[in-house]
Amino acid sequence: MKYRTLGGSGIQVSEFTLGAMMLGAWGTADHGEAVRIVHTALDAGINTVDTADMYSLGESEEIVGKALKGRRDDVVLATKFHNPMGEDPNRRGNSRRWIAQAVEDSLRRLDTDWIDLYQVHRPDPETDLEETLSALSDLVRAGKIRAYGTSAFPASELVEAQWTAERRGLVRPRGEQPPYSILARGIEREVLPVARKYGVGVITWSPLSGGWLSGRYGGPDGADPRTSRRGNTGMVDSLFDMNLPGNRAKLDAVTELKKVAAEAGVSLPTLATAFVRSHPAVTSVIMGPRTMEHLEGMLEGVDVRLDPAILDRIDEVVPPGTDIARDVTFYEPPALTDASLRRRR
């Protein structure tokens, strides 16, 4: 396992991050098995664990807290806030009021005195960015968090956050967590260059593009994507709706990428994660196993490096900066979702 510096923070993180979204009711309901998954990842050299308050409504954080008993000092622990944690409209978002409560809730569930990387799970158009950064800076100075970052922020807001922090004398954000895969390369245009320019570490998620690059689909022996377990979850039905041209294009690309993986002598999932790690702006790649078998399969590719010829072949299938069909990010800017902002009165 190799380690890289998270932006300009000086914090060393493993090239792979253990994502804990599937630990708990959303995936591995057996806490004992979930703890064993965390321990196996740590024993393999992974030193970074990423979770969020919303994952199984706090259960994921509780499991991670159990798993880190006696090992906390050796782990870079990351969690997130923003999404609703109850019916109360103030138990969500990026306000100082909610941040002050959310961090205490996460510290309690994680059974720790500090969080290494506290991340804003999504932008909040209802809250002034300075309000959010000021509250997070106070948490750094209080020692409750070591650094903070963002997730799924567009390049413009990453720049605004850096500018706001500098002008107001606040602590700078040190991390960004965007989706990134061979099939969703849009962040190569602006987000990754901006992150490099401002010394922001990048911990990516969804390297298998919501399961498309799992190896189950594409080619003569591939399964029908519509039969996926995720195809029946109302929130992500569109990921596998083969009536959508983008999804048909994804299936064509996956079929070609299987050939590229065969040329490289690796599985498609290994090709996918190695591709993401090959970008110089990427610090670490989140892998979120649901079972021990999933984790062991992911760990098989930790030492794989792709040579330039294979990367060129990938570029032929999916050109740099291209999103074949946008992955689910669960965030759209108001400029797209609010018709009054794009239609002259």
Side-chain angles (χ1 to χ4, degrees):
M1 186 67 64
K2 292 183 171 57
Y3 302 87
R4 296 172 177 172
T5 305
L6 182 69
S9 71
I11 299 172
Q12 298 294 306
V13 299
S14 46
E15 283 189 324
F16 281 97
T17 290
L18 178 67
M21 186 177 76
M22 301 304 292
L23 303 184
W26 290 5
T28 310
D30 183 323
H31 284 209
E33 180 66 10
V35 167
R36 284 189 288 275
I37 289 173
V38 176
H39 287 173
T40 299
L42 298 181
D43 292 341
I46 291 175
N47 79 336
T48 310
V49 179
D50 177 82
T51 183
D53 56 5
M54 72 167 292
Y55 296 162
S56 297
L57 289 179
E59 187 183 5
S60 172
E61 287 187 327
E62 292 173 354
I63 291 171
V64 170
K66 292 178 183 178
L68 298 188
K69 290 284 188 182
R71 307 183 72 160
R72 176 67 186 91
D73 289 346
D74 301 322
V75 173
V76 177
L77 178 57
T79 191
K80 300 181 282 292
F81 71 91
H82 165 82
N83 288 289
M85 290 297 287
E87 296 299 323
D88 186 332
N90 283 313
R91 293 184 61 80
R92 67 192 68 186
N94 302 344
S95 69
R96 174 180 285 272
R97 185 183 194 275
W98 175 232
I99 290 171
Q101 180 63 55
V103 71
E104 296 297 339
D105 292 344
S106 287
L107 289 169
R108 173 177 47 79
R109 287 189 292 260
L110 291 164
D111 194 18
T112 185
D113 294 327
W114 81 97
I115 294 164
D116 294 290
L117 180 63
Y118 199 39
Q119 299 156 110
V120 189
H121 213 152
R122 293 293 184 271
D124 179 4
E126 301 297 324
T127 305
D128 190 90
L129 186 58
E130 182 181 350
E131 182 81 3
T132 302
L133 302 193
S134 175
L136 291 168
S137 296
D138 287 346
L139 291 181
V140 173
R141 291 163 181 152
K144 294 188 177 184
I145 66 175
R146 300 297 189 249
Y148 72 90
T150 55
S151 178
F153 270 48
S156 59
E157 293 204 35
L158 294 177
V159 173
E160 183 182 356
Q162 294 291 322
W163 180 86
T164 300
E166 179 179 346
R167 182 166 183 177
R168 302 302 186 191
L170 303 173
V171 176
R172 292 170 55 195
R174 289 300 188 181
E176 162 61 12
Q177 192 178 114
Y180 182 41
S181 72
I182 296 175
L183 300 181
R185 302 182 62 175
I187 65 169
E188 293 174 347
R189 292 182 175 273
E190 292 186 298
V191 170
L192 293 181
V194 163
R196 291 193 75 186
K197 179 180 179 66
Y198 289 101
V200 175
V202 177
I203 301 177
T204 67
W205 52 277
S206 197
L208 302 186
S209 196
W212 278 97
L213 298 173
S214 65
R216 295 194 297 268
Y217 315 121
D221 300 322
D224 186 337
R226 290 166 292 189
T227 64
S228 163
R229 64 181 177 85
R230 298 193 66 188
N232 293 321
T233 58
M235 189 163 52
V236 291
D237 273 349
S238 61
L239 275 179
F240 299 103
D241 183 352
M242 297 309 293
N243 293 316
L244 298 177
N247 285 339
R248 294 198 296 272
K250 278 186 177 182
L251 193 59
D252 291 341
V254 169
T255 299
E256 292 303 310
L257 290 169
K258 278 190 169 182
K259 299 175 185 177
V260 177
E263 293 173 20
V266 299
S267 68
L268 183 56
T270 294
L271 180 83
T273 55
F275 164 81
V276 174
R277 286 174 18 248
S278 71
H279 196 290
V282 172
T283 312
S284 184
V285 180
I286 293 175
M287 52 182 183
R290 183 171 53 87
T291 66
M292 187 69 75
E293 182 181 7
H294 290 165
L295 174 62
E296 291 169 349
M298 294 170 180
L299 290 173
E300 290 176 358
V302 295
D303 294 324
V304 173
R305 296 290 185 271
L306 302 179
D307 63 43
I310 293 298
L311 292 172
D312 288 344
R313 286 281 289 114
I314 292 173
D315 286 350
E316 292 172 3
V317 178
V318 183
T322 299
D323 286 333
I324 290 186
R326 289 196 62 200
D327 280 0
V328 174
T329 63
F330 303 113
Y331 173 76
E332 290 287 0
L336 298 181
T337 59
D338 185 346
S340 69
L341 298 180
R342 51 186 170 82
R343 296 176 182 172
R344 188 181 297 276
R345 292 181 183 275

